[in-house]
Structure formats: C-alpha cells, structure tokens
Amino acid sequence: MSAAHRPAVPTRALAPGYVVPRLIKGGWQLAGGHGTVDRTEAIADMMAFAESGITAFDCADIYTGVEELIGEFLCSWRERYGAAAPTMRVHTKCVPDRDALPTLTRAELERLIDRSLTRLGVDTLDLVQFHWWNFDIEGWLEAAGHLAELKRSGKIRQLGVTNFDTSRLRMLLDAGIPIVSHQVQCSLLDRRALGAMATLCAERGVGLLTYGALAGGFFHERWLGAREPIEPLENRSLVKYKLIIDEFGGWVAFQALLRALKDIGERHGVSIATVATRWVLEQPAVAAAIVGARYADRIGETLAVF
C-alpha cells in the first residue's frame, strides 16, 4: 500500500493534551528471544512505522537493548525532520527487579527512571508504565507514589500501569495516583480485561493499551488447517500464546475461530490478523492496541484495520 493510499491513523486522548495513535508499535519482539536483530534495518523500519502515522512506540526497561534502539531512532527522526518532526510518543515500563521489591526505595526507582532517560536520549519520559511482580510483597502503592513524585518533578509526563488487577488499580486511583493508562493482554482468545477492569477504567478515565491481539502470530492464515504445534516452538511469543490457546479451549476450538475470522476477512478483502486487531479496537475501553510487528513489511496490512 503506497503512502498516498494509506488511511489516516485515528488517535485517542489518554489525558488532556496527550494524544496517541490507536495503533502503537510494540518493542518486545526486538528484545532477546526473538532472533537476531539487525539494528540498521530495525531503525529504518521504525522510521517507516512513524511515517505511516504509527507515531507511538512501546518498550520496557527490561527489554534488552530496546530502549537504546529506540533512542537511536529518535536521533534519526529529529535529524530527518528537525523542528518540523511530528510528535513521537515512547511508552516505556518501570519494572523493578523481583528481588528488589521488599526493600525498594525512591532513590532506586529514580535510578531506573534516569537510566531510561539516558537510554532514550530524552529529558522527559512520555509514559511510564509501572509493573509489580508480586502483590503479596508490600510496597507497590508506596512505589507508585514515588513515581508520581517523579512525574511532578518533570522526569515523567504521564503515568500508567501494566498487568494490575482491578482491586489494586482501584486502590491506586483512590490514593490519588494519576494513572492514565493500563496495559493488559486482550484478544479474541483472552477477554478478561473487558469485564470489571474495563468498567473501572471507563469510570475513572483510564485507557486500556492492549497487547496480544494477534496471539504472537497465531492469528494468521498459515495456522488455519495446520497441525497443532508441539515444542520446541519458534520463539517465546509462540510458547506464551500457545498456552492461551490451550486455556481458550484447545486447538480444535482455535481452528473454528480462525475459520470464522477467515470468512469475515474474505468478505472485506482483509486478513485474519486485520479482523482480529479490529475486534480489539472496537472494544469501548480500548484506547490503543500495541502491534508486535518486528519489521515494517506489513504496514499496509496493519493499517487496513482502519
């Protein structure tokens, strides 16, 4: 699909003055466990995504090398467009080490934030999504409060969370932590976030940023009619989402779902992946879907959701 014929990418406001495209480029597949990454090609593909209107990227401080890679892209973006450069949003995550949770301090959290600032080469982090490995360990509410202080100091523009449960997200909001987004898994296979969580988020003005719409690549024509895969699978994404398929009802049920998506796609001239992604975007609580495309060779198919 040529640039002239690409549909415009709709946007959604997460907070006053903070707008994101409804598709966000994910960074997990550029981290370890997904094969060798060609840095030059990856940066060129980031440029292609941004120029297509997907002007927000998602990453995390624990995705090996990804913040630095996006930082290199941001330099290239500014060099190419200068002062006229369209606004890029980079959403990262603050993920303290599991072992550090019981004794985590404000100073240690600030060190993590400063590290992300350095890696990305920016003065302020657009959106920091807070993750806490184990809620049986106390301190997560206090840690979120420290991040709110860092927001007030100017190091963070917006605060979000990732993979919280409904009751604890409500506790954060009731404590006055200014949460604008919640990153969760959501797909035709996994609709858990669309119940009580979606209701809470709608009531409190929190946008869902969802991942997993394509189940790591399982929502694709190549899996329709294919034998059930057995380990070892090709990458970490397939390992993870095969478990989701098992929980959904198994391979036979998944094949029936793929066939239904194929039939819908044929009526509209689009792929299984496009239908699966559009379904997620149609959910009222979903502000944006994170697409895990590693390279830019399928931007046209991605944008066909609009």
Side-chain angles (χ1 to χ4, degrees):
M1 182 183 296
S2 68
H5 293 91
R6 285 173 181 159
V9 177
T11 59
R12 180 75 62 87
L14 289 180
Y18 192 86
V19 175
V20 296
R22 297 210 67 207
L23 289 177
I24 296 172
K25 185 186 184 304
W28 189 46
Q29 293 190 15
L30 293 172
H34 294 90
T36 303
V37 174
D38 183 309
R39 298 182 75 83
T40 300
E41 184 178 0
I43 291 171
D45 285 331
M46 289 182 195
M47 191 71 69
F49 274 95
E51 290 175 338
S52 76
I54 301 177
T55 53
F57 294 170
D58 180 83
C59 60
D61 57 3
I62 60 169
Y63 294 176
T64 304
V66 177
E67 285 183 327
E68 293 94 334
L69 195 60
I70 294 176
E72 290 182 43
F73 157 74
L74 291 175
C75 286
S76 299
W77 182 250
R78 290 188 291 264
E79 289 173 0
R80 176 173 294 190
Y81 290 101
T87 299
M88 286 296 306
R89 301 295 191 191
V90 179
H91 300 171
T92 193
K93 301 179 188 72
C94 178
V95 187
D97 290 341
R98 288 176 186 266
D99 294 341
L101 298 186
T103 59
L104 190 65
T105 65
R106 184 189 187 282
E108 288 167 330
L109 279 168
E110 187 167 15
R111 180 184 61 80
L112 295 179
I113 295 304
D114 287 343
R115 185 179 65 180
S116 290
L117 287 167
T118 299
R119 288 172 171 177
L120 289 166
V122 297
D123 296 323
T124 303
L125 298 176
D126 288 325
L127 174 68
V128 171
Q129 301 161 106
F130 175 49
H131 178 75
W132 193 261
W133 291 106
N134 184 354
F135 289 110
D136 290 333
I137 298 173
E138 298 294 331
W140 54 272
L141 186 56
E142 182 180 11
H146 294 324
L147 291 175
E149 291 172 6
L150 292 170
K151 178 182 184 299
R152 289 191 291 271
S153 76
K155 291 189 175 185
I156 298 169
R157 185 166 286 111
Q158 302 293 345
L159 273 180
V161 292
T162 180
N163 294 324
F164 268 61
D165 58 35
T166 304
S167 63
R168 290 182 176 88
L169 176 57
R170 181 180 288 107
M171 290 173 68
L172 284 180
L173 295 167
D174 288 346
I177 307 298
I179 302 300
V180 302
S181 68
H182 185 199
Q183 186 174 144
V184 290
Q185 181 169 285
C186 181
S187 72
L188 279 158
L189 295 172
D190 183 358
R191 310 180 191 190
R192 291 172 295 173
L194 300 178
M197 177 63 73
T199 300
L200 173 65
C201 288
E203 292 172 349
R204 306 296 286 271
V206 176
L208 292 182
L209 304 179
T210 64
Y211 63 90
L214 301 185
F218 274 114
F219 279 122
H220 191 279
E221 282 74 7
R222 74 187 180 101
W223 291 107
L224 180 60
R227 291 183 179 181
E228 182 172 2
I230 58 174
E231 295 186 359
L233 299 179
E234 185 178 342
N235 56 54
R236 291 192 308 178
S237 290
L238 293 181
V239 172
K240 171 183 176 179
Y241 289 105
K242 177 56 170 62
L243 294 174
I244 301 298
I245 290 171
D246 293 342
E247 292 178 7
F248 171 75
W251 196 249
V252 173
F254 179 59
Q255 286 295 308
L257 177 58
L258 281 182
R259 170 48 60 190
L261 296 182
K262 177 68 172 176
D263 291 345
I264 294 168
E266 287 180 344
R267 292 201 299 272
H268 295 277
V270 297
S271 68
I272 287 173
T274 299
V275 179
T277 304
R278 181 58 182 255
W279 182 88
V280 172
L281 289 173
E282 288 291 322
Q283 307 312 306
V286 174
I290 299 165
V291 292
R294 182 172 177 179
Y295 296 121
D297 54 345
R298 293 189 176 177
I299 286 180
E301 178 182 336
T302 301
L303 295 180
V305 298
F306 302 121

